[in-house]
CSV table of all heavy atoms in Angstrom, one decimal:
chain,number,residue,atom,x,y,z
A,1,LEU,N,-13.2,10.9,-3.0
A,1,LEU,CA,-12.4,9.8,-2.7
A,1,LEU,C,-11.0,10.1,-2.0
A,1,LEU,O,-10.6,9.4,-1.1
A,1,LEU,CB,-12.1,9.0,-4.0
A,1,LEU,CG,-13.3,8.3,-4.6
A,1,LEU,CD1,-12.9,7.7,-6.0
A,1,LEU,CD2,-14.0,7.3,-3.7
A,2,ALA,N,-10.5,11.3,-2.4
A,2,ALA,CA,-9.2,11.7,-1.8
A,2,ALA,C,-9.5,12.1,-0.3
A,2,ALA,O,-8.7,11.7,0.6
A,2,ALA,CB,-8.6,12.9,-2.6
A,3,ILE,N,-10.6,12.8,-0.1
A,3,ILE,CA,-10.9,13.1,1.3
A,3,ILE,C,-11.2,11.9,2.1
A,3,ILE,O,-10.7,11.8,3.3
A,3,ILE,CB,-12.1,14.1,1.3
A,3,ILE,CG1,-11.7,15.5,0.7
A,3,ILE,CG2,-12.7,14.2,2.7
A,3,ILE,CD1,-12.9,16.4,0.6
A,4,HIS,N,-11.9,10.9,1.6
A,4,HIS,CA,-12.1,9.7,2.3
A,4,HIS,C,-10.8,8.9,2.5
A,4,HIS,O,-10.7,8.3,3.6
A,4,HIS,CB,-13.1,8.8,1.4
A,4,HIS,CG,-13.6,7.6,2.2
A,4,HIS,ND1,-13.0,6.4,2.0
A,4,HIS,CD2,-14.6,7.5,3.1
A,4,HIS,CE1,-13.7,5.5,2.8
A,4,HIS,NE2,-14.6,6.1,3.5
A,5,TRP,N,-9.9,9.0,1.6
A,5,TRP,CA,-8.6,8.3,1.8
A,5,TRP,C,-7.9,8.9,3.0
A,5,TRP,O,-7.3,8.2,3.8
A,5,TRP,CB,-7.7,8.4,0.6
A,5,TRP,CG,-6.5,7.6,0.7
A,5,TRP,CD1,-5.4,7.9,1.5
A,5,TRP,CD2,-6.2,6.4,0.0
A,5,TRP,NE1,-4.4,6.9,1.3
A,5,TRP,CE2,-4.9,6.0,0.4
A,5,TRP,CE3,-6.8,5.6,-1.0
A,5,TRP,CZ2,-4.3,4.8,-0.1
A,5,TRP,CZ3,-6.2,4.5,-1.4
A,5,TRP,CH2,-4.9,4.1,-1.0
A,6,GLY,N,-8.0,10.2,3.2
A,6,GLY,CA,-7.3,10.9,4.3
A,6,GLY,C,-7.7,10.3,5.6
A,6,GLY,O,-6.9,10.3,6.6
A,7,GLU,N,-8.9,9.8,5.8
A,7,GLU,CA,-9.4,9.2,7.1
A,7,GLU,C,-9.3,7.7,7.1
A,7,GLU,O,-9.0,7.1,8.2
A,7,GLU,CB,-10.8,9.6,7.4
A,7,GLU,CG,-11.0,11.0,7.9
A,7,GLU,CD,-12.4,11.3,8.5
A,7,GLU,OE1,-13.4,11.0,7.8
A,7,GLU,OE2,-12.4,11.7,9.7
A,8,TYR,N,-9.5,7.1,6.0
A,8,TYR,CA,-9.7,5.6,6.0
A,8,TYR,C,-8.7,4.9,5.0
A,8,TYR,O,-8.7,3.6,5.0
A,8,TYR,CB,-11.1,5.3,5.6
A,8,TYR,CG,-12.1,5.8,6.5
A,8,TYR,CD1,-12.9,7.0,6.2
A,8,TYR,CD2,-12.3,5.2,7.8
A,8,TYR,CE1,-13.8,7.5,7.1
A,8,TYR,CE2,-13.3,5.8,8.7
A,8,TYR,CZ,-14.0,6.9,8.3
A,8,TYR,OH,-14.9,7.4,9.2
A,9,GLY,N,-7.9,5.6,4.3
A,9,GLY,CA,-7.0,4.9,3.4
A,9,GLY,C,-7.8,4.2,2.3
A,9,GLY,O,-8.8,4.7,1.9
A,10,PHE,N,-7.2,3.1,1.9
A,10,PHE,CA,-7.9,2.3,0.8
A,10,PHE,C,-9.3,1.9,1.3
A,10,PHE,O,-10.2,1.8,0.4
A,10,PHE,CB,-7.0,1.1,0.5
A,10,PHE,CG,-7.6,0.3,-0.6
A,10,PHE,CD1,-7.8,0.7,-1.9
A,10,PHE,CD2,-8.0,-1.1,-0.4
A,10,PHE,CE1,-8.3,-0.1,-2.9
A,10,PHE,CE2,-8.5,-1.9,-1.3
A,10,PHE,CZ,-8.7,-1.4,-2.6
A,11,GLY,N,-9.5,1.6,2.5
A,11,GLY,CA,-10.8,1.3,3.1
A,11,GLY,C,-11.2,-0.1,3.0
A,11,GLY,O,-12.3,-0.5,3.3
A,12,GLY,N,-10.3,-1.0,2.6
A,12,GLY,CA,-10.6,-2.4,2.5
A,12,GLY,C,-10.7,-3.1,3.9
A,12,GLY,O,-10.3,-2.5,4.9
A,13,PRO,N,-11.4,-4.2,3.9
A,13,PRO,CA,-11.5,-4.9,5.2
A,13,PRO,C,-10.2,-5.4,5.7
A,13,PRO,O,-9.3,-5.7,5.0
A,13,PRO,CB,-12.4,-6.1,4.8
A,13,PRO,CG,-12.3,-6.3,3.4
A,13,PRO,CD,-12.1,-4.9,2.8
A,14,LYS,N,-10.0,-5.4,7.0
A,14,LYS,CA,-8.8,-5.7,7.7
A,14,LYS,C,-8.3,-7.2,7.4
A,14,LYS,O,-7.2,-7.5,7.6
A,14,LYS,CB,-8.8,-5.4,9.2
A,14,LYS,CG,-8.8,-4.0,9.5
A,14,LYS,CD,-8.7,-3.7,11.0
A,14,LYS,CE,-8.6,-2.2,11.2
A,14,LYS,NZ,-8.5,-1.9,12.7
A,15,GLN,N,-9.3,-8.0,7.0
A,15,GLN,CA,-8.8,-9.4,6.7
A,15,GLN,C,-7.9,-9.4,5.5
A,15,GLN,O,-7.1,-10.4,5.4
A,15,GLN,CB,-10.1,-10.3,6.4
A,15,GLN,CG,-10.8,-9.9,5.1
A,15,GLN,CD,-12.1,-10.8,4.9
A,15,GLN,OE1,-12.3,-11.6,5.7
A,15,GLN,NE2,-12.8,-10.5,3.8
A,16,ILE,N,-7.9,-8.4,4.7
A,16,ILE,CA,-6.9,-8.3,3.6
A,16,ILE,C,-5.5,-8.2,4.2
A,16,ILE,O,-4.5,-8.8,3.8
A,16,ILE,CB,-7.2,-7.1,2.7
A,16,ILE,CG1,-8.4,-7.3,1.9
A,16,ILE,CG2,-6.0,-6.7,1.8
A,16,ILE,CD1,-8.8,-6.1,1.0
A,17,HIS,N,-5.3,-7.3,5.3
A,17,HIS,CA,-4.0,-7.2,5.9
A,17,HIS,C,-3.6,-8.4,6.6
A,17,HIS,O,-2.4,-8.8,6.7
A,17,HIS,CB,-4.1,-6.0,6.8
A,17,HIS,CG,-4.5,-4.7,6.1
A,17,HIS,ND1,-5.8,-4.3,6.1
A,17,HIS,CD2,-3.7,-3.8,5.5
A,17,HIS,CE1,-5.8,-3.1,5.4
A,17,HIS,NE2,-4.6,-2.8,5.0
A,18,LEU,N,-4.6,-9.1,7.2
A,18,LEU,CA,-4.3,-10.4,7.9
A,18,LEU,C,-3.7,-11.4,6.9
A,18,LEU,O,-2.9,-12.2,7.2
A,18,LEU,CB,-5.5,-10.9,8.6
A,18,LEU,CG,-6.0,-10.2,9.8
A,18,LEU,CD1,-7.3,-10.8,10.3
A,18,LEU,CD2,-5.0,-10.2,10.9
A,19,LEU,N,-4.2,-11.4,5.7
A,19,LEU,CA,-3.7,-12.3,4.6
A,19,LEU,C,-2.2,-12.1,4.4
A,19,LEU,O,-1.4,-13.0,4.3
A,19,LEU,CB,-4.5,-12.0,3.3
A,19,LEU,CG,-3.9,-12.7,2.1
A,19,LEU,CD1,-4.1,-14.2,2.2
A,19,LEU,CD2,-4.6,-12.2,0.8
A,20,TYR,N,-1.8,-10.8,4.4
A,20,TYR,CA,-0.4,-10.5,4.3
A,20,TYR,C,0.4,-10.9,5.5
A,20,TYR,O,1.6,-11.3,5.4
A,20,TYR,CB,-0.2,-9.0,4.0
A,20,TYR,CG,-0.6,-8.6,2.6
A,20,TYR,CD1,-1.8,-8.1,2.3
A,20,TYR,CD2,0.3,-8.8,1.5
A,20,TYR,CE1,-2.2,-7.8,1.0
A,20,TYR,CE2,0.0,-8.5,0.2
A,20,TYR,CZ,-1.3,-8.0,-0.1
A,20,TYR,OH,-1.7,-7.7,-1.3
A,21,VAL,N,-0.2,-10.8,6.7
A,21,VAL,CA,0.5,-11.2,7.9
A,21,VAL,C,0.8,-12.7,7.8
A,21,VAL,O,1.9,-13.2,8.1
A,21,VAL,CB,-0.4,-10.9,9.2
A,21,VAL,CG1,0.2,-11.5,10.4
A,21,VAL,CG2,-0.4,-9.4,9.3
A,22,PHE,N,-0.2,-13.5,7.4
A,22,PHE,CA,-0.1,-14.9,7.3
A,22,PHE,C,1.0,-15.2,6.2
A,22,PHE,O,1.8,-16.2,6.4
A,22,PHE,CB,-1.4,-15.6,6.9
A,22,PHE,CG,-2.4,-15.5,8.0
A,22,PHE,CD1,-3.7,-15.3,7.8
A,22,PHE,CD2,-2.0,-15.7,9.4
A,22,PHE,CE1,-4.7,-15.2,8.8
A,22,PHE,CE2,-2.9,-15.6,10.4
A,22,PHE,CZ,-4.3,-15.4,10.1
A,23,LYS,N,1.0,-14.5,5.1
A,23,LYS,CA,2.0,-14.7,4.1
A,23,LYS,C,3.4,-14.4,4.6
A,23,LYS,O,4.4,-15.1,4.3
A,23,LYS,CB,1.7,-13.8,2.9
A,23,LYS,CG,2.7,-14.0,1.7
A,23,LYS,CD,2.1,-13.4,0.4
A,23,LYS,CE,2.3,-11.9,0.4
A,23,LYS,NZ,3.6,-11.5,0.0
A,24,LEU,N,3.6,-13.4,5.4
A,24,LEU,CA,4.9,-13.1,6.0
A,24,LEU,C,5.3,-14.2,7.0
A,24,LEU,O,6.5,-14.6,7.0
A,24,LEU,CB,4.8,-11.8,6.8
A,24,LEU,CG,5.1,-10.5,6.0
A,24,LEU,CD1,5.0,-9.3,6.9
A,24,LEU,CD2,6.4,-10.6,5.3
A,25,ILE,N,4.4,-14.7,7.7
A,25,ILE,CA,4.7,-15.9,8.6
A,25,ILE,C,5.2,-17.1,7.8
A,25,ILE,O,6.1,-17.7,8.2
A,25,ILE,CB,3.5,-16.2,9.5
A,25,ILE,CG1,3.2,-15.1,10.5
A,25,ILE,CG2,3.7,-17.5,10.3
A,25,ILE,CD1,1.9,-15.3,11.3
A,26,PHE,N,4.5,-17.3,6.7
A,26,PHE,CA,4.9,-18.4,5.8
A,26,PHE,C,6.3,-18.1,5.3
A,26,PHE,O,7.1,-19.0,5.3
A,26,PHE,CB,3.9,-18.5,4.6
A,26,PHE,CG,4.3,-19.5,3.6
A,26,PHE,CD1,3.9,-20.8,3.7
A,26,PHE,CD2,5.0,-19.1,2.5
A,26,PHE,CE1,4.3,-21.7,2.7
A,26,PHE,CE2,5.4,-20.0,1.5
A,26,PHE,CZ,5.0,-21.3,1.6
A,27,TYR,N,6.5,-16.9,4.8
A,27,TYR,CA,7.8,-16.6,4.3
A,27,TYR,C,8.9,-16.8,5.3
A,27,TYR,O,10.0,-17.4,4.9
A,27,TYR,CB,7.8,-15.1,3.8
A,27,TYR,CG,9.1,-14.4,3.7
A,27,TYR,CD1,10.0,-14.7,2.6
A,27,TYR,CD2,9.6,-13.5,4.6
A,27,TYR,CE1,11.2,-14.1,2.4
A,27,TYR,CE2,10.8,-12.9,4.5
A,27,TYR,CZ,11.6,-13.2,3.4
A,27,TYR,OH,12.9,-12.6,3.3
């Protein structure tokens, strides 16, 4: 898992990050 993190980080789908972008826009 540590080696995988080195290339892909947490590895979650990018829609998770889009959720935070929308939250920042709301803020």
Side-chain angles (χ1 to χ4, degrees):
L1 295 175
I3 291 173
H4 188 261
W5 187 290
E7 280 195 308
Y8 299 101
F10 180 63
K14 288 186 177 179
Q15 64 183 3
I16 290 177
H17 303 92
L18 289 176
L19 172 68
Y20 286 95
V21 172
F22 293 140
K23 184 165 76 82
L24 273 182
I25 294 172
F26 174 88
Y27 160 75

